[in-house]
Amino acid sequence: MEILAFGVQADERPLIERAFHGHDEIRCLDVFLNEDTAPIAAGHEIVSTSVNADLGAAVLEILAAGGTRMVAQRSTGFNNIDLDTAERLGMTVARVSYYSPYSVAEFAWALAMAVNRRIVRASTRTRDFDFRLHGLMGRDMHGRTAGVLGTGKIGEAFARIAHGFGMRLLGWDVAENPACMELGMRYVPKDELLARSDLVSLHLPLMPATQHLIDAPALKAMRDDAILVNSSRGGLIDTAALVTELRAGRFTGVGLDVYEAEAGLFFLDKSLEAIADDTLARLVTFPNVLVTSHQAYYTEDAVGQIVDTTVKNVLDYREGRRSENVLVPRS
């Protein structure tokens, strides 16, 4: 059986091919799954997709008509998948429910420290042999307060690093994490966390209840000199509202590895094209903003675990087994 994998990055391809060797043939494509590319999957019972694939109703209908019966998503998030339509079409959908939380937590801290210590600006200057320190002053993290919105595995890993810096910890989640409380974290209402935190980091899934969790009122509740980091899902932040606050001169720094309208942009080379997204174009012009292209998970360790789990999901589907990774079971 040949499996068709969409949206495979060059660094990811050898890991996927090696993991599937001895199980199934796999054909890797660098194009992302959408309405235009879905017909390529005709005749493939199993397709594997990336987090920026379009798996809405229209795409799922095309896949099902072409004979696809299983979608193996290579990510934890699944907000891009119309699960109701998949169930109606009798398609099995599986995801990767767990991979290294350290990959994302460490990258979130890389963003936080980069904007705090003006690393990008400093690097650009030194390339031009400009060694002035003017405008590069940052702040110690020791003794300051980190607010962690979402204290699951990734949020806990982020909190452990913050604890290592000697920071006070505030948390907000639907359930308290005992491991975070052992670090000294206090769970408080969201508005209190935003008002008291020097650093706010988001580690929540995207769902209707968390869409634009950080909206205009939430941003106004934050300290003027706070640092905001999002390495989770772009839709957690109302980006237009964020741009408004940045234009008013607020926030020491903002580090974003995700963007709410990243589909069709992130993971692609758009350097020779005019970007039609005015919000993103404005966002990247602020000197205190650092935007990266959804790479927090992108370590050998995490991608290796994602690929291995994807192989397991495919084998489970073929053998009729069900695991915690299955979002829509085999009918």
Side-chain angles (χ1 to χ4, degrees):
M1 179 187 299
E2 183 183 67
I3 298 166
L4 192 61
F6 286 90
V8 177
Q9 303 297 311
D11 297 332
E12 184 185 16
R13 181 169 185 158
L15 297 176
I16 290 178
E17 292 176 341
R18 185 162 58 246
F20 273 94
H21 182 71
H23 298 293
D24 292 282
E25 293 183 17
I26 187 158
R27 179 184 172 200
C28 296
L29 304 177
D30 59 1
V31 298
F32 292 94
L33 179 62
N34 54 41
E35 284 193 61
D36 293 329
T37 60
I40 301 172
H44 292 83
E45 182 179 346
I46 301 172
V47 299
S48 178
T49 58
S50 64
V51 67
N52 273 346
D54 175 0
L55 285 159
V59 172
L60 290 173
E61 293 277 4
I62 296 170
L63 292 177
T68 298
R69 293 293 174 264
M70 193 249 185
V71 173
Q73 175 126 311
R74 303 187 306 280
S75 72
T76 298
F78 54 91
N79 54 284
N80 61 320
I81 307 174
D82 187 331
L83 299 180
D84 291 336
T85 297
E87 184 175 14
R88 175 175 60 80
L89 295 171
M91 300 175 71
T92 299
V93 179
R95 61 155 179 169
V96 177
S97 59
Y98 174 86
Y99 60 84
S100 169
Y102 311 108
S103 61
V104 179
E106 290 171 5
F107 193 85
W109 267 106
L111 290 174
M113 295 305 294
V115 295
N116 176 42
R117 302 305 299 269
R118 314 292 197 266
I119 299 299
V120 175
R121 183 184 299 179
S123 176
T124 301
R125 282 187 184 179
T126 56
R127 285 178 179 271
D128 292 332
F129 298 102
D130 178 353
F131 300 104
R132 294 172 299 161
L133 297 182
H134 176 67
L136 301 182
M137 184 175 287
R139 297 179 295 177
D140 289 1
M141 289 296 186
H142 179 84
R144 287 188 159 80
T145 300
V148 186
L149 291 163
T151 56
K153 292 182 176 66
I154 297 173
E156 178 188 331
F158 184 91
R160 289 189 182 281
I161 298 171
H163 182 260
F165 273 107
M167 300 185 76
R168 294 181 292 270
L169 294 171
L170 297 179
W172 180 85
D173 209 331
V174 293
E176 297 179 351
N177 184 336
C180 290
M181 297 176 72
E182 289 178 7
L183 298 173
M185 177 178 285
R186 290 184 54 244
Y187 281 85
V188 296
K190 183 187 72 172
D191 287 347
E192 181 180 346
L193 181 150
L194 295 174
R196 293 180 54 191
S197 297
D198 299 285
L199 166 63
V200 174
S201 191
L202 308 181
H203 302 286
L204 295 156
L206 180 62
M207 55 185 66
T210 59
Q211 177 75 28
H212 285 181
L213 183 78
I214 304 300
D215 55 10
L219 290 164
K220 290 185 182 301
M222 293 176 62
R223 298 178 51 167
D224 287 345
D225 61 353
I227 293 171
L228 174 63
V229 173
N230 186 9
S231 58
S232 185
R233 289 292 180 267
L236 297 175
I237 296 177
D238 181 342
T239 317
L242 175 60
V243 168
T244 298
E245 297 303 310
L246 289 165
R247 291 181 64 185
R250 301 190 63 223
F251 306 133
T252 289
V254 175
L256 304 174
D257 184 50
V258 288
Y259 173 60
E260 60 180 321
E262 68 183 53
L265 291 172
F266 282 19
F267 304 149
L268 300 171
D269 181 2
K270 297 289 185 177
S271 60
L272 299 178
E273 301 177 25
I275 298 300
D277 189 324
D278 292 338
T279 302
L280 179 60
R282 186 71 180 91
L283 189 64
V284 298
T285 65
F286 292 102
N288 57 335
V289 173
L290 176 57
V291 178
T292 53
S293 54
H294 207 142
Q295 69 183 80
Y297 77 99
Y298 207 54
T299 66
E300 293 180 4
D301 312 81
V303 174
Q305 291 172 349
I306 289 169
V307 171
D308 288 343
T309 301
T310 300
V311 173
K312 178 182 180 298
N313 288 342
V314 169
L315 295 177
D316 284 348
Y317 164 79
R318 294 181 63 184
E319 298 297 327
R321 296 188 297 264
R322 183 173 177 178
S323 73
E324 70 280 2
N325 297 320
V326 176
L327 299 170
V328 179
R330 186 170 186 172
S331 57

